Amino acid sequence: MTKKKQMGIVPDNYSVLITEDEIQQRLEELGKKITNDFKGTNPILIGVLNGGFIFLADLIRYIDIDLEIDFIRISSYGNQRESTGHVKVLKPLSADISGRHVIVVEDIVDSGLSVQFLDNMMSAFSPAQLKFATLLHKPSKTITDITLDYVGFEIEDKFVVGYGLDDQQNKRNLRDIFVIHV
Ligand code: IMP
Ligand code: MG
């Protein structure tokens, strides 16, 4: 892939953690795995807004079976960099996931409280199966007993932005994933 021009403003205290090419290579692997695991089903992938929208858009184009998408929006962070621990649904699901093969698509799992909340909430609709995909996971921060079925990259406890992930709602348009040095 030819290197595209970086988009957006990259401050001096940012450094690249994962490049656009590394992300795409990993998504191809995850897409193949999901294709094999879900062959013969018509899964619905649920993007968790806002951060998961680019990951979902790219991931589905590596999945070689029919699939549907939907979105849910939850909030646990406000504009802070630490979790408040309170998860709220800001935009509910549109689709009926009862009896469906569901993959929830998150940008990043930190404490795991968001995934735990989504697991409880969606299980109540009795899907045929409920799996979780996340582009990034910070295992050292995760305090909940959750199962992540598809993980792009495990990272250290650093605040990251770009490729859909925000810093106070900005920087989602950066093509690579960056660490902010404080
Ligand atoms: P958790 O509920 O603590 O696992 O937090 C998950 C959510 O917090 C993610 O979906 C992100 O929206 C946000 N988040 C956690 N860590 C970061 C980060 O390093 N950069 C940007 N957003 C983050
Ligand atoms: Mg999120």
Side-chain angles (χ1 to χ4, degrees):
M1 204 192 293
T2 51
K3 181 76 186 149
K4 299 200 181 66
K5 183 186 175 300
Q6 188 60 253
M7 288 291 144
I9 308 297
V10 181
D12 286 344
N13 65 331
Y14 281 25
S15 65
V16 175
L17 181 68
I18 308 170
T19 66
E20 180 178 17
D21 282 1
E22 289 167 341
I23 296 168
Q24 294 301 320
Q25 277 169 31
R26 185 69 183 123
L27 296 202
E28 186 170 5
E29 293 170 5
L30 291 180
K32 280 188 184 145
K33 194 160 190 310
I34 292 171
T35 301
N36 284 328
D37 293 352
F38 285 83
K39 209 153 256 167
T41 76
N42 176 224
I44 180 160
L45 280 80
I46 298 181
V48 183
L49 296 171
N50 288 337
F53 78 116
I54 296 180
F55 177 39
L56 178 79
D58 282 349
L59 179 65
I60 61 169
R61 287 175 288 177
Y62 292 107
I63 301 176
D64 201 15
I65 53 173
D66 272 337
L67 58 87
E68 294 180 25
I69 65 152
D70 193 13
F71 290 98
I72 188 167
R73 183 160 183 205
I74 60 170
S75 152
S76 57
Y77 273 68
N79 278 335
Q80 309 305 311
R81 286 183 190 172
E82 284 298 318
S83 178
T84 59
H86 299 290
V87 184
K88 278 190 301 192
V89 176
L90 302 178
K91 179 215 160 305
L93 286 177
S94 303
D96 178 5
I97 59 168
S98 305
R100 299 294 305 269
H101 297 262
V102 176
I103 308 172
V104 179
V105 179
E106 264 279 19
D107 51 357
I108 183 163
V109 174
D110 185 285
S111 68
L113 287 165
S114 303
V115 165
Q116 189 175 60
F117 172 85
L118 291 167
D119 193 2
N120 290 334
M121 194 214 85
M122 293 192 191
S123 294
F125 293 98
S126 305
Q129 55 175 324
L130 180 59
K131 302 284 180 187
F132 285 85
T134 186
L135 178 64
L136 304 171
H137 182 208
K138 297 179 188 170
S140 67
K141 290 286 291 293
T142 305
I143 53 166
T144 47
D145 182 21
I146 51 168
T147 303
L148 300 171
D149 304 283
Y150 306 97
V151 176
F153 303 90
E154 291 196 343
I155 62 169
E156 285 172 37
D157 176 20
K158 303 235 171 74
F159 195 81
V160 292
V161 297
Y163 194 76
L165 291 123
D166 73 302
D167 183 21
Q168 299 184 52
Q169 300 306 326
N170 285 266
K171 310 301 182 190
R172 298 190 197 273
N173 53 332
L174 303 184
R175 291 180 168 273
D176 300 326
I177 293 172
F178 294 82
V179 174
I180 302 183
H181 300 279
V182 283

